[in-house]
Amino acid sequence: MPSIPYEHGLILAAILFVCGLIGVLTRRNIVFILMSLEIMLNACGLAFVVGSARWGHADGQIMFLMILTLAAAEVAVGLGLIIQMYRRFHTVDISVLSEMKG
Amino acid sequence: MILLFYLAGAVALIATISVIVSTNVVHALVYLIISLLAVAVIFFVLGAPFAAMLEAIVYAGAIMVLFLFVMMMLNLGQATEDEEKAWLRPQLWVGPGLLILVLLVQLVNVLVTQQVDVVPVEVGVRELSVLLFGPWLLAVELASMLLLAGLIAAYHLAKK
């Protein structure tokens, strides 16, 4: 198999992560924020798999499995929160939550 | 192989950018699925077929379908899309975007200084599972606890 420059994989992961970060910072729709978090987690997983390929070791892939589990749990809880928020405020705009008092 | 890597990378990049600039939630979800499948192709090229399959089945399959179900429950219409268009003004995202780009350029600069060519060694399912149920057994147990906690929390939060 021909070789792949591994820093290009890491650069791709970094760019995907930055896309997700821009999404989290600039969107006000909570659904888009959750999707951007998914993009960021996925970019982290990509970086782990690239590391795994770089060192020829399976530990990076195991960390990717852990990230996958984390993403699944996070999405379940996040979507539950979105449903609850939509029931109470009838909007997906996160700025309505600024009036919460603890 | 190397062409496949760059092609899938370009697809992932374009699809991801389409996600964050899209105003329709369902369109963004479809783009996100494309992006995840492209990353699955990259995993396959990098010699991680098990991770690629999990990415396609769990991420692009299960998690995105969960998103889609919730979108159908919420039934966001044209009003939300118009709202999104109004929120996506350039003065809101240009500032943070430029600052993040500076950080990205720094990161890329650090990464390109250490050039190593990787010949992908395929790590199969067998090798991976021996590791998972050997030295990483505690991590697997922790992941199961995390999933259980997520299940209970999602049930409690989505209850009427």
Side-chain angles (χ1 to χ4, degrees):
Chain A
M1 261 197 282
S3 61
I4 291 166
Y6 104 110
E7 72 273 5
H8 289 182
L10 285 182
I11 288 170
L12 178 66
I15 294 173
L16 288 182
F17 188 87
V18 163
C19 284
L21 192 56
I22 290 176
V24 170
L25 288 178
T26 57
R27 302 306 294 248
R28 276 169 66 184
N29 186 333
I30 192 167
V31 181
F32 278 101
I33 292 176
L34 202 59
M35 271 194 254
S36 304
L37 279 177
E38 284 304 301
I39 295 171
M40 288 165 78
L41 279 176
N42 191 44
C44 293
L46 177 61
F48 269 113
V49 173
V50 171
S52 163
R54 162 73 177 81
W55 301 107
H57 206 279
D59 280 357
Q61 290 189 40
I62 288 169
M63 285 319 290
F64 171 72
L65 293 190
M66 298 301 142
I67 289 175
L68 203 69
T69 319
L70 186 72
E74 176 239 331
V75 159
V77 174
L79 287 175
L81 284 171
I82 289 178
I83 291 175
Q84 198 59 251
M85 176 182 161
Y86 197 73
R87 266 193 207 129
R88 293 195 184 182
F89 300 102
H90 298 286
T91 177
V92 282
D93 178 8
I94 48 161
S95 43
V96 297
L97 297 182
S98 64
E99 291 159 13
M100 278 201 307
K101 288 197 175 64
Chain B
M1 263 330 204
I2 192 142
L3 183 70
L4 209 59
F5 175 80
Y6 287 114
L7 208 59
V11 170
L13 212 59
I14 293 168
T16 307
I17 290 169
S18 303
V19 172
I20 60 169
V21 300
S22 161
T23 51
N24 187 321
V25 180
V26 180
H27 293 177
L29 266 177
V30 175
Y31 275 124
L32 188 50
I33 291 174
I34 294 172
S35 161
L36 294 174
L37 289 177
V39 172
V41 172
I42 292 173
F43 285 172
F44 198 79
V45 173
L46 286 173
F50 188 58
M53 275 177 233
L54 278 182
E55 174 95 7
I57 295 171
V58 179
Y59 249 122
I63 295 180
M64 290 302 121
V65 168
L66 204 63
F67 260 108
L68 217 54
F69 271 129
V70 172
M71 287 313 100
M72 286 196 286
M73 279 175 73
L74 297 186
N75 203 9
L76 305 169
Q78 189 65 37
T80 314
E81 205 172 320
D82 295 340
E83 226 175 24
E84 278 297 307
K85 280 192 184 120
W87 286 338
L88 223 66
R89 291 196 310 266
Q91 62 258 43
L92 290 180
W93 54 263
V94 161
L98 281 179
L99 290 177
I100 291 173
L101 275 184
V102 173
L103 291 181
L104 179 68
V105 168
Q106 286 180 343
L107 188 58
V108 168
N109 261 332
V110 172
L111 287 177
V112 293
T113 52
Q114 27 189 303
Q115 294 194 338
V116 182
D117 279 0
V118 181
V119 180
V121 186
E122 189 170 315
V123 180
V125 183
R126 183 190 169 85
E127 199 179 327
L128 202 63
S129 34
V130 165
L131 271 176
L132 260 185
F133 289 94
W136 289 91
L137 189 60
L138 189 65
V140 174
E141 294 294 331
L142 282 176
S144 70
M145 293 298 289
L146 183 69
L147 281 177
L148 181 65
L151 176 71
I152 294 170
Y155 173 74
H156 176 73
L157 286 172
K159 209 166 49 175
K160 274 201 194 292

